[in-house]
Amino acid sequence: MVNGVKATVQEFEHDLSRWLVRAKGITKSFGEGHTKIPVLKGVDLDVARGEVLLLVGPSGSGKTTLLSVIAGILEADEGELMILGENIKAFSQSAKTLFRRDHLGFVFQQYHLLPTLTASENAAVPLLIRGMPKRDAMAHAEEVLRSVGMGERLASLPNRLSGGEQQRVAIARALAGDPQLLLCDEPTASLDAETGHRVVEQLRAIGKRPDRAVIIVTHDSRIFEFGDRIVHMDDGLVHQIQDGSEQVSG
Amino acid sequence: MSFVALKMLFGDRAKYLMLLAGLTFSTMLIVQQGSIFWGLMTWSMSGISNVNAPVWVTDPNINQVEEIKPLADTAVTRVRSVPGVEWAVPLYKGVQRARLRDGNFEQIALVGIDPSTLIGRPYTVLDGRIEELRAPETVAVDELTVERLGGPNKIHVGSTFEINDHRVRIVAIVQAQKSFQNIPFVYTTYERALRITPQERRKLSYVLVGPQPGISAEALAGRIQKETGLGAYSGDQFGWKTMQWVLKNTGIGVNFGTTVFLGFIVGMAIAGQTFYLFTVENLQQFGALKAIGASTGMLARMILLQSFTVGLIGYGIGIGLATLFGLTAGRGGVLPFKETWPLLLGVFVALMMICSLSSVISIRKLAKLEPAVVFRG
Ligand SMILES: Nc1ncnc2c1ncn2[C@@H]1O[C@H](COP(=O)(O)OP(=O)(O)O)[C@@H](O)[C@H]1O
Ligand SMILES: [Mg+2]
């Protein structure tokens, strides 16, 4: 009896130390009544510490919705969700916001750069939100921008940048805060093959550090090789999980 | 994050200028309308403000300063006997006809003041010496008289003209607050005024009174009223009484009051609305900040900073434009325009309240904002 309980606790602690994200039976619908559309239909997804996980699937299969739920930006209807060992479903809205500020980084599909801020100012935003003095935040942001090959465009406004350049600013912004969990929605969609590779390698470098993880939603089969695992979603469910090594080239 | 807030505000030129234009326009509208309104009120009270007297004694039944019901000559001595009265002097005021050299007539308001104290004299003497009124057959005239009677070449210190066939000599040019009727003011001594004007049973328009030290004008006015049965008011009381009468009886109250009120409502609605729209248009940006981890409190501070910044700038420019309007359109006193600090303060307070209110509405919207907007297309 006693041994049994002990074993379960140990297993759980072992799980917590191994998994950075644990999602079980996540469901999410939009709308009410007749117009209710189930988008996530019971998703199980674990992400290990030090893992780069690719989330792939047809458009509309619920990838972005799942990412929003993991980020604490959307509330799941049912299911359990542990992130960095915290049951964030139980958090208040403001606690979730603070959790995002301190632990998460985002690359949005639509970039969502502030149009009136320069590239460096945009990249500095997560640090400024944490209260870092402007001078330090800017210096650090510029360093990160250089590392994604944007050293020449530090003072440019987003509307002066190409789609690929904006995407790199968005990535720099996500990296600047050195988040433990990096959530990227189609981060290479606007990048040419070479830049795409470089950027994903950078994201991978973040994810591979202990205590970190990266989830990348992508269509881009060119970057499949960078994933430790590839999770295929279809119609609101996880359909198939592949190890990075097993993937079929395509 | 305050610099991010300010860059959001100033960086989008088009939106910022729209917002600024809304706030500037409303400030200007209210200050301009309010100043004209107050200008009209000062015109209506010019009969009082031109005469620097602490207490006015009148017929008990008058409504306002221009309604002159002459008192018996004995009123001056009766008032002097009221305890607390330091001095009491007579004042004549009446509309008379001045004749120009070319034979044309012009209406003037003749003011007769006490020759020994010169109480009731205008504050500002532009040319000549008002003390020379004590010399025979002399008058002091205001700038409007100069203009109406033929300009500074004909009408100056030393020149003469006729009032009711009495030749008078000008010893001083003075400044007087314009009146509603827009009639020129001519000052002379009380006795001379009685001589120049046609025979009437009573000619004493007002008794002007000064209180002894330690007694307020209001208290003395009350005492005079009680002891003599005459009307008695402090300068301020008389001014308010006149203003109330004008508001009630001339249509200025209703017409202008409506304009000022509507200007206020419209101006404030524009100001509030434009700022609210500004936030709504930036909702995506605020959503992104929220997703990245900016708390509602932080966003609220950003919005307040933006709103008060643009509010202050709009207030400044609006006042500047209204003042410019007053200086140009109101030049020469053609248009009544009096910008007073209570008006400016009132507009400031109202504008800050509007800024706060629209900020609060925007903040409530942000508090409810689902940051999930950033993940959708
Ligand atoms: N806020 C929402 N309201 C209603 N439907 C939504 C909302 N967000 C997403 N959906 C729907 O959910 C489905 C899955 O969307 P999404 O998660 O964006 O898919 P993916 O990222 O895989 O393309 C789509 O059919 C989409 O129209
Ligand atoms: Mg998507």
Side-chain angles (χ1 to χ4, degrees):
Chain A
M1 228 353 235
V2 172
N3 274 347
V5 172
K6 212 171 178 185
T8 316
V9 171
Q10 268 175 352
E11 195 184 319
F12 186 69
E13 280 174 354
H14 172 73
D15 281 359
L16 278 190
S17 60
R18 172 158 182 221
W19 302 109
L20 199 137
V21 176
R22 297 219 70 176
K24 217 171 157 51
I26 300 287
T27 66
K28 175 76 188 169
S29 311
F30 291 110
E32 296 284 325
H34 288 305
T35 55
K36 187 162 164 173
I37 316 161
V39 174
L40 300 179
K41 301 173 178 173
V43 174
D44 297 336
L45 183 73
D46 294 331
V47 184
R49 293 177 190 263
E51 180 173 43
V52 175
L53 186 113
L54 299 191
L55 198 55
V56 304
S59 193
S61 56
K63 307 182 295 292
T64 296
T65 306
L66 179 60
L67 214 55
S68 310
V69 168
I70 292 172
I73 281 174
L74 275 183
E75 188 103 28
D77 297 335
E78 297 165 77
E80 285 158 37
L81 182 62
M82 299 288 285
I83 299 185
L84 292 160
E86 305 275 5
N87 175 17
I88 68 157
K89 275 195 83 174
F91 282 18
S92 69
Q93 280 303 329
S94 52
K96 281 182 192 165
T97 306
L98 289 186
F99 187 80
R100 285 199 296 274
R101 182 190 77 179
D102 295 335
H103 304 292
L104 307 190
F106 299 93
V107 181
F108 307 116
Q109 199 168 356
Q110 311 293 331
Y111 323 137
H112 287 296
L113 301 174
L114 302 193
T116 54
L117 300 193
T118 65
S120 0
E121 288 162 351
N122 262 297
V125 161
L127 302 171
L128 293 169
I129 290 179
R130 288 182 194 172
M132 187 186 278
K134 189 186 168 202
R135 182 194 293 263
D136 301 348
M138 292 292 287
H140 184 63
E142 283 167 13
E143 199 178 301
V144 180
L145 276 169
R146 283 193 197 94
S147 78
V148 295
M150 289 290 292
E152 306 290 303
R153 312 304 307 269
L154 297 177
S156 303
L157 291 173
N159 64 6
R160 296 288 157 142
L161 300 174
S162 70
E165 288 172 322
Q166 290 184 45
Q167 193 146 42
R168 278 185 280 165
V169 176
I171 289 164
R173 178 174 67 184
L175 299 182
D178 195 19
Q180 277 171 280
L181 176 60
L182 190 52
L183 303 169
C184 311
D185 204 356
E186 310 270 5
T188 58
S190 313
L191 303 181
D192 60 61
E194 195 192 329
T195 321
H197 271 134
R198 197 162 83 222
V199 160
V200 176
E201 270 180 88
Q202 225 159 352
L203 296 176
R204 188 175 164 77
I206 297 267
K208 289 320 288 177
R209 284 151 62 194
D211 267 354
R212 312 271 147 151
V214 179
I215 304 177
I216 302 173
V217 168
T218 188
H219 271 111
D220 188 354
S221 54
R222 296 171 305 185
I223 67 167
F224 283 7
E225 57 183 292
F226 292 96
D228 294 320
R229 283 188 303 154
I230 302 171
V231 173
H232 293 262
M233 277 188 76
D234 198 3
D235 196 22
L237 283 168
V238 172
H239 195 63
Q240 186 193 358
I241 301 180
Q242 276 182 305
D243 270 350
S245 50
E246 307 172 1
Q247 43 139 337
V248 206
S249 67
Chain B
M1 288 300 279
S2 44
F3 107 93
V4 173
L6 293 178
K7 280 204 92 164
M8 277 175 82
L9 176 64
F10 295 127
D12 189 336
R13 271 296 127 113
K15 263 191 232 161
Y16 169 65
L17 290 179
M18 271 297 294
L19 181 56
L20 187 63
L23 290 160
T24 302
F25 175 73
S26 29
T27 306
M28 193 185 77
L29 188 70
I30 301 165
V31 171
Q32 190 235 34
Q33 295 291 307
S35 297
I36 292 180
F37 178 74
W38 193 245
L40 282 171
M41 290 302 107
T42 45
W43 276 12
S44 76
M45 294 187 291
S46 65
I48 300 157
S49 54
N50 276 335
V51 177
N52 188 12
V55 177
W56 293 65
V57 178
T58 67
D59 181 273
N61 297 317
I62 68 156
N63 292 304
Q64 46 114 350
V65 64
E66 302 302 340
E67 181 187 353
I68 296 165
K69 291 188 180 160
L71 306 164
D73 293 340
T74 53
V76 181
T77 31
R78 280 171 66 204
V79 170
R80 278 185 186 143
S81 66
V82 174
V85 170
E86 175 89 2
W87 48 259
V89 295
L91 186 84
Y92 170 83
K93 194 169 165 191
V95 174
Q96 302 296 334
R97 297 203 303 175
R99 194 167 70 172
L100 301 110
R101 286 234 172 95
D102 59 14
N104 279 334
F105 289 102
E106 191 69 50
Q107 286 209 317
I108 53 133
L110 185 65
V111 182
I113 60 179
D114 178 55
S116 55
T117 58
L118 296 180
I119 285 165
R121 57 174 274 188
Y123 300 99
T124 315
V125 178
L126 300 171
D127 196 11
R129 278 169 39 83
I130 194 137
E131 289 76 10
E132 287 180 25
L133 277 186
R134 291 172 188 135
E137 306 309 318
T138 53
V139 293
V141 301
D142 72 350
E143 295 160 290
L144 193 57
T145 316
V146 175
E147 188 188 307
R148 290 280 170 83
L149 298 192
N153 288 331
K154 286 186 190 163
I155 300 295
H156 48 79
V157 172
S159 66
T160 62
F161 65 98
E162 281 179 14
I163 303 172
N164 298 340
D165 299 327
H166 291 264
R167 179 149 295 277
V168 290
R169 183 168 55 89
I170 298 170
V171 294
I173 311 289
V174 300
Q175 207 168 44
Q177 169 64 48
K178 234 179 167 62
S179 73
F180 249 138
Q181 295 86 345
N182 213 7
I183 292 182
F185 284 102
V186 175
Y187 293 86
T188 188
T189 60
Y190 182 69
E191 285 75 16
R192 193 172 306 132
L194 299 191
R195 257 188 293 117
I196 291 176
T197 52
Q199 277 291 306
E200 274 176 75
R201 199 165 60 83
R202 288 175 163 191
K203 284 191 178 178
L204 176 57
S205 311
Y206 308 104
V207 181
L208 306 179
V209 185
Q212 281 169 359
I215 299 176
S216 75
E218 280 77 16
L220 184 61
R223 201 183 286 173
I224 294 171
Q225 205 159 15
K226 213 157 95 198
E227 301 216 353
T228 62
L230 297 167
Y233 312 95
S234 74
D236 284 347
Q237 288 170 332
F238 203 24
W240 282 112
K241 188 177 167 71
T242 298
M243 201 165 100
Q244 277 170 6
W245 182 87
V246 169
L247 288 179
K248 250 192 248 154
N249 293 279
T250 60
I252 291 179
V254 176
N255 291 325
F256 232 89
T258 315
T259 315
V260 174
F261 182 72
L262 286 183
F264 192 82
I265 298 295
V266 169
M268 287 303 156
I270 291 174
Q273 178 73 4
T274 39
F275 186 72
Y276 178 69
L277 277 181
F278 175 77
T279 337
V280 169
E281 283 172 13
N282 286 337
L283 224 48
Q284 281 273 334
Q285 296 183 44
F286 286 116
L289 291 174
K290 205 169 175 178
I292 294 171
S295 63
T296 302
M298 180 178 267
L299 299 181
R301 285 196 297 279
M302 291 174 71
I303 286 194
L304 284 170
L305 178 65
Q306 290 174 338
S307 129
F308 284 117
T309 303
V310 74
L312 279 177
I313 296 174
Y315 177 75
I317 300 178
I319 285 185
L321 289 179
T323 308
L324 211 62
F325 168 86
L327 290 179
T328 340
R331 191 167 34 211
V334 190
L335 189 79
F337 193 91
K338 273 268 178 317
E339 220 175 86
T340 56
W341 70 262
L343 175 70
L344 297 185
L345 184 71
V347 174
F348 179 77
V349 170
L351 193 68
M352 290 300 115
M353 273 166 55
I354 284 297
C355 285
S356 315
L357 185 70
S358 49
S359 301
V360 166
I361 296 174
S362 307
I363 289 165
R364 282 175 53 106
K365 201 169 174 72
L366 277 188
K368 285 194 218 130
L369 174 70
E370 280 226 20
V373 287
V374 292
F375 273 121
R376 289 203 293 272

